[in-house]
Structures are given as structure tokens and as C-alpha cells.
Amino acid sequence: MASNIKKNTIYNMINTVAKIIFPLITFPYSSRVLHAAKIGTVNYANSVYSYIALISTLSITSYAVRESSVVKNDREKLGHLASEIFSINVWSTLIAYLVMIVVCLIPSFHNIVSLILINSINMILVTLGADWLNTAMEDFRYITIRSVAFQFLSLILMFAFVHQPSDYVKYVVISVIASSGSEVMNMFYRRKYCELRFILHPNLKKHLPPIMKMFAAVITQQFYVNSDTVMLGLMTTSTAVGLYSTATKVYNIVNTLMSSIFTVVLAQATIAYTHKHYDRYNSLLRKVIMFLVSLGLPIVVGMMVISKNIIVFISGPEYAAAAGTLSILAVSLFFAIIHGFLGWLVAMPMGDYDISLKAAFWSSLVNIGLNLVLIPRIGYPAAAVTTTIAELISAIIIATRWNHNIKIRNISKTVFHSILGCILMSVFLIFMKQVQMGVMLQTVLMIGGGAVIYGLTLLATRDEFVREAIKFVLRRE
């Protein structure tokens, strides 16, 4: 079982890294080709579309993974459950398209209608693909191979067709292919697990209450995630949106990477908690915490120390002003990781959808309120500050569901080793910032050298996480 988790984590990490490498290659290229104004327009359209997409998804993925994992070994029960959830998703997607038509008629959005329509293709593909079934069955090998293939295809298309600012529409089309193109294959592949069919009258009484609670939680959370960009677009300039979007692009990439383990562990954590196998459940949580501390802490610290280098390296000198915003978002990342852990692996296995809704509501309310006050005064950096506060509030609220069945022991050494490694790494990074050389070379040396120093520190202290990682790599299972 432990071996499966490690293998699935590796597959999911590969998949996540591929999704990270794609924007790391294409975003520096596209940001230089399209410039801040067009990048701002694209991200503004993406933010508006994201609200519409929420109606389509209804946060069904998380609910579907949790519920399907419980009956995954019974093909008949799985087929019936999955078909009901799939049918609800089809209906929600149809409603989302009706909402999209209304949104496109609003004069304020006329200049981004075409971009919204293109993005909406994602809704069809995601719904029909029902990729949550593969996640529930823990088929991360297939998910990874399929996703990486489409990422690579999109990379080729990006360099082949995006050459000037007027190509921003092509950029959006290719982004859709990268994010959801692989769902087409899934329409055929998923049959190995069960038959998905459309049910005209699914059991709404059973499924809708928990789905709507999760939907309400996600939509309020997305309000504060995307309200930053939308409010900046309404209250400032496209250039300001472009600068903030550049910082959030880096933030989202790292957050996605660190959060990848939650998807891997959710199914097994749900089974363990549901059947009251608390020793197994706590063992899973301990492994996740060690992963997050050992890899997340140096990333957060590194982002804070070399934020300017990261921004210039990825997007060019034109975006250097976003460095301070990225440093603030690094702090937000720390709280976001804690929030993600508590939400995915504490509240979700318990089936506690109410606490997620409560956390999302209060953090969203604080975020939007602070944005209204601070953005007119200090501009786009205010959005980063409010995001950080919102993530902290969410983490604190969900942490109240920590109960006597959750007992995480023997992690203090890992925390100490990581803090020591981060201190030594920071000394090196600060020294390197004083060395005069090209930004590209300096950034590569900083990241590479910082990683080596941190890694050597964990090796020298015989850190448990590193020892377990080395054992897994060296043995064949």
C-alpha cells in the first residue's frame, strides 16, 4: 500500500511538473510576445470565465472522488454511482452555458466575448471526460501519460502559431488544448472501470446537498481567488492586471505542485477514516506533512528571497515591478498549503462539507472587503496582501475540525531540519544576489545552488524524509 502511494505520488508529481514546465516555457515566451496589456486581457477573460465554469463543475470532482473511492471495488455500484454524478454534471454544464450567454450580453464584457467562448470548450470536455473516475481508481499512470502527451503537443503549437500580440486568441485556444484536450481520450478509456450513462432523473436527494455545500464553498473561495484579478481589471489598468497575473502565475504553479499529493492520498485517506482505521489514516497524514515541510518550506523561503530574479527570469525586465507582489504571495503560499492539507485530508475524508463552506465564506468576505479598501490606495500589491489574509483565515477555521482521532507524532525533527536548511540556503541566496552577472545565469545558479545546500543539510542531519526517499529510489518494488 505504501509503495502504491509512493508510485502514485511520483506519477502525479510528473504530471504536475509537466503542467508546470509547460507554462514555465510558454509563459515567458508568450508574455514577451503578447506584452503586459494583452496578457492582462487574456487573464481578465480567464477570471470572468472561471466563475461560469464553477457552475459547470459544481465542485463535483472532489465529491465524486470521495464517494467513488468507497465503492471502487464493486463495478456495478461504481457504475450506478458514477452515472448519477455524471448526469448531474451534464445538467450543471447546460445551466452554465445559459449563464455564459447572459454574461456575454453584458456591455462591459463585449471586448472579451470571443475569449470567454473559446474557454468554454473546457466545460464540455471536462464534463464528458469525467476524469475524476480515474482519480478515484488511483490510475495516475494513465492520467500522467495522457496529460504529458497533450502538454507536449500544446508546446509545439504555441511556438508554431503565437508570434505577435494579435495572436492572443490563438494563445487561448492552445491553452484549452493543454488543459482539457486529453479529456477526449478519457471518454473511451474510462470504460475499463464501469459504464457511464446519462440518467434523466438522478438521485438528487442523495447527491445534491453535499455537492451544493461543496459548490458553495468553492464558489465563495473562487470569489476571493479571482476577485483580485477582476477587481483590478475594473479599478486599475490592463498593465496592472498583467503585472499581478505574472506574480500569481508563479504562485499558482508552485501551489499546484505542492497540492498534487492531496489528490493522490484523498481516496486512501477517505477509506481509512470511513472504516475507522485511524492508525492508517494518521500514518498517511504524517507522510503528507513530512512531504509538505521538506519540499514546501524551502520553496516558500526561496520565493521570498529571490522573487525579482524569478519574475525577470520568467517574464522579462518589463515585469520586474511584480517582484514585491510575489514575495507577499510566498507568504500566502505557506498558508495555502496548510489550508489545502486541512481541507483535502482532514475535512474531506470526514465528509465535513459545512466547515469548508464556513471557511470559504469568511475568507471571501474579508478578501473582497479589503480589496475594495486597499486596491484604490496601493494598487495591485494590495491583492496579494488580501489573498494572504484570506488563506490564513481559511486555515484557522478548518483547523477547528482537528479531533482526538488525528494524532501526528514525531515530525519535530523534520521541521527543525527543514528550518536549518532554509537558513543556510537563504545565506547563500542573499550572497549570490550581490554577485554581478546576468539575471538568467544568476537565477539558475541561485536555484541550483540553493537546492544543493538545502539537500546536503537534510542529508547531513540524516533527515527521515530524505532517507525514505533514497530507499524508495534505490529499491525496486
Side-chain angles (χ1 to χ4, degrees):
M1 187 71 72
S3 175
N4 288 336
I5 290 178
K6 291 176 182 177
K7 289 179 180 178
N8 286 337
T9 300
I10 291 174
Y11 279 127
N12 204 37
M13 287 286 288
I14 292 172
N15 183 26
T16 304
V17 169
K19 292 179 180 179
I20 289 172
I21 290 176
F22 172 73
L24 281 179
I25 295 174
T26 59
F27 191 71
Y29 172 77
S30 60
S31 62
R32 287 171 171 81
V33 170
L34 301 181
H35 300 302
K38 289 300 182 184
I39 286 291
T41 300
V42 169
N43 282 284
Y44 182 35
N46 289 346
S47 295
V48 174
Y49 160 75
S50 67
Y51 289 114
I52 302 171
L54 283 173
I55 300 173
S56 173
T57 61
L58 279 182
S59 193
I60 283 174
T61 296
S62 300
Y63 174 77
V65 171
R66 184 192 185 281
E67 298 300 313
S68 298
S69 64
V70 178
V71 297
K72 62 191 293 185
N73 295 322
D74 188 323
R75 183 181 177 89
E76 184 178 347
K77 288 183 179 179
L78 178 63
H80 180 71
L81 173 70
S83 294
E84 288 198 322
I85 296 174
F86 170 74
S87 301
I88 293 172
N89 200 178
V90 170
W91 284 115
S92 65
T93 300
L94 291 174
I95 295 172
Y97 270 96
L98 293 176
V99 172
M100 185 187 69
I101 292 173
V102 174
V103 169
C104 289
L105 295 176
I106 298 175
S108 300
F109 299 133
H110 283 178
N111 63 320
I112 56 172
V113 165
S114 61
L115 302 184
I116 294 175
L117 293 174
I118 294 170
N119 275 314
S120 72
I121 298 173
N122 279 310
M123 292 195 297
I124 301 175
L125 297 178
V126 169
T127 299
L128 298 181
D131 200 33
W132 44 263
L133 186 57
N134 294 315
T135 302
M137 300 304 294
E138 300 180 81
D139 195 348
F140 292 99
R141 181 176 181 271
Y142 162 73
I143 294 173
T144 299
I145 294 173
R146 177 203 66 188
S147 180
V148 169
F150 273 85
Q151 293 288 327
F152 184 71
L153 171 62
S154 302
L155 181 65
I156 295 174
L157 295 175
M158 186 70 69
F159 288 118
F161 295 104
V162 179
H163 303 295
Q164 54 192 356
S166 59
D167 292 332
Y168 69 99
V169 175
K170 297 177 183 177
Y171 172 77
V172 176
V173 172
I174 295 170
S175 297
V176 170
I177 295 173
S179 61
S180 305
S182 59
E183 298 285 353
V184 176
M185 294 179 60
N186 204 46
M187 298 176 196
F188 305 96
Y189 181 84
R190 68 182 181 222
R191 294 174 183 172
K192 67 181 290 186
Y193 300 118
C194 64
E195 291 294 331
L196 270 189
R197 63 189 186 279
F198 178 74
I199 300 175
L200 188 61
H201 301 291
N203 189 348
L204 297 180
K205 185 177 181 180
K206 174 184 177 181
H207 300 296
L208 208 55
I211 286 176
M212 293 308 297
K213 286 180 181 178
M214 293 188 68
F215 171 65
V218 170
I219 197 170
T220 50
Q221 183 179 13
Q222 286 298 316
F223 262 112
Y224 82 71
V225 171
N226 292 311
S227 65
D228 297 340
T229 303
V230 173
M231 293 174 75
L232 284 171
L234 294 172
M235 301 166 69
T236 61
T237 65
S238 293
T239 300
V241 176
L243 291 171
Y244 180 72
S245 299
T246 301
T248 55
K249 177 75 72 173
V250 179
Y251 167 81
N252 289 330
I253 286 173
V254 179
N255 195 16
T256 300
L257 175 62
M258 297 308 303
S259 300
S260 63
I261 192 172
F262 302 147
T263 307
V264 173
V265 180
L266 175 60
Q268 293 195 31
T270 298
I271 293 172
Y273 193 89
T274 300
H275 295 287
K276 299 183 179 180
H277 298 157
Y278 296 125
D279 288 342
R280 172 62 183 159
Y281 177 65
N282 288 324
S283 176
L284 288 171
L285 295 190
R286 182 175 183 272
K287 287 181 172 66
V288 174
I289 290 175
M290 291 176 65
F291 172 89
L292 296 176
V293 170
S294 299
L295 296 183
L297 196 57
I299 291 176
V300 168
V301 173
M303 282 176 59
M304 293 177 65
V305 177
I306 63 169
S307 58
K308 183 175 181 180
N309 284 77
I310 294 173
I311 291 292
V312 175
F313 180 84
I314 291 177
S315 301
E318 180 184 359
Y319 298 83
T325 301
L326 181 59
S327 293
I328 299 171
L329 288 174
V331 180
S332 177
L333 177 63
F334 176 78
F335 296 126
I337 292 173
I338 298 175
H339 171 204
F341 171 79
L342 295 170
W344 278 86
L345 300 183
V346 174
M348 190 77 71
M350 295 178 186
D352 192 345
Y353 307 115
D354 291 330
I355 192 64
S356 297
L357 175 58
K358 181 179 178 181
F361 172 78
W362 286 109
S363 57
S364 177
L365 187 66
V366 170
N367 180 266
I368 294 175
L370 290 176
N371 275 337
L372 289 171
V373 174
L374 297 180
I375 287 178
R377 289 170 170 78
I378 60 177
Y380 63 90
V385 173
T386 59
T387 297
T388 302
I389 296 172
E391 291 290 359
L392 173 60
I393 291 173
S394 293
I396 291 173
I397 292 176
I398 298 181
T400 60
R401 285 302 186 264
W402 196 276
N403 60 56
H404 67 279
N405 293 316
I406 306 174
K407 300 174 182 178
I408 312 300
R409 298 184 174 92
N410 303 321
I411 61 170
S412 58
K413 288 185 179 180
T414 295
V415 174
F416 174 74
H417 297 160
S418 295
I419 291 175
L420 177 61
C422 287
I423 292 173
L424 297 177
M425 179 187 71
S426 298
V427 172
F428 168 77
L429 294 178
I430 293 171
F431 169 76
M432 284 297 297
K433 287 174 70 173
Q434 311 306 317
V435 180
Q436 297 297 319
M437 63 177 73
V439 173
M440 295 291 186
L441 177 60
Q442 187 182 51
T443 305
V444 171
L445 292 176
M446 281 179 164
I447 295 175
V452 169
I453 290 174
Y454 181 79
L456 290 175
T457 302
L458 297 191
L459 282 172
T461 56
R462 296 182 57 79
D463 182 74
E464 181 183 351
F465 177 81
V466 172
R467 285 190 282 113
E468 289 296 319
I470 293 174
K471 287 180 183 179
F472 177 74
V473 171
L474 294 180
R475 71 172 178 252
R476 301 185 63 166
E477 300 187 56

